[in-house]
């Protein structure tokens, strides 16, 4: 169980560094819109037990949806937000969940 969450954590960190590398010179406002929509779809699928992946709390996808939507709106109105900071905040619910599962499960 711990190894599974460790691999998921590694996956999220890989995604983080890949996105930082790709979008490091651009203001990624539409990246946040895509992330927001993907996690909204994930939330809806989980809510109706149609999500093909593993079971996770609904709050993970919904909070990631809200956070990325907020960053989309902020960048859309013209605020310059450092992607290293904002994307890390966006992934924080999933990163924390997997860290807790690694260190707090028996």
């Amino acid at each position: 169980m711990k190894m599974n969450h460790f691999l998921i954590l590694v996956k999220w960190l890989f995604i983080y560094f890949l996105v930082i590398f790709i979008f490091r010179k651009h203001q990624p406002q539409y990246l946040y819109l895509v992330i927001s929509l993907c996690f909204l779809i994930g939330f809806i699928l989980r809510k109706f037990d149609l999500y093909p992946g593993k079971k996770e709390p609904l709050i993970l996808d919904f909070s990631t949806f809200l956070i990325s939507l907020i960053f989309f709106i902020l960048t859309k109105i013209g605020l310059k937000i450092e992607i290293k900071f904002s994307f890390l905040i966006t992934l924080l619910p999933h990163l924390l969940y997997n860290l807790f599962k690694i260190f707090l499960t028996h």
Side-chain angles (χ1 to χ4, degrees):
M1 182 67 128
K2 285 185 179 187
M3 187 60 164
N4 186 29
H5 288 285
F6 177 75
L7 292 175
I8 293 170
L9 181 64
V10 168
K11 175 190 77 169
W12 282 114
L13 290 174
F14 174 77
I15 291 169
Y16 171 76
F17 288 115
L18 181 66
V19 167
I20 296 303
F21 178 75
I22 292 171
F23 289 95
R24 69 186 180 278
K25 302 234 188 249
H26 306 288
Q27 186 65 17
Q29 65 187 24
Y30 292 105
L31 170 69
Y32 293 113
L33 180 61
V34 170
I35 292 169
S36 182
L37 293 175
C38 288
F39 280 98
L40 178 61
I41 291 168
F43 170 77
I44 292 168
L45 290 174
R46 282 187 201 279
K47 178 70 178 153
F48 294 105
D49 287 328
L50 299 172
Y51 190 79
K54 69 182 187 81
K55 288 266 191 203
E56 291 181 341
L58 285 175
I59 192 70
L60 288 178
D61 285 348
F62 192 71
S63 61
T64 305
F65 156 71
L66 287 179
I67 293 168
S68 57
L69 184 63
I70 289 168
F71 282 124
F72 169 71
I73 293 168
L74 291 175
T75 56
K76 189 71 175 158
I77 62 173
L79 265 85
K80 300 290 183 205
I81 301 171
E82 179 66 37
I83 188 170
K84 292 176 191 172
F85 167 74
S86 59
F87 194 63
L88 181 63
I89 297 297
T90 301
L91 296 181
L92 200 58
H94 285 83
L95 294 174
L96 289 176
Y97 173 77
N98 285 294
L99 280 172
F100 286 140
K101 284 294 195 177
I102 290 169
F103 293 113
L104 297 179
T105 56
H106 299 94

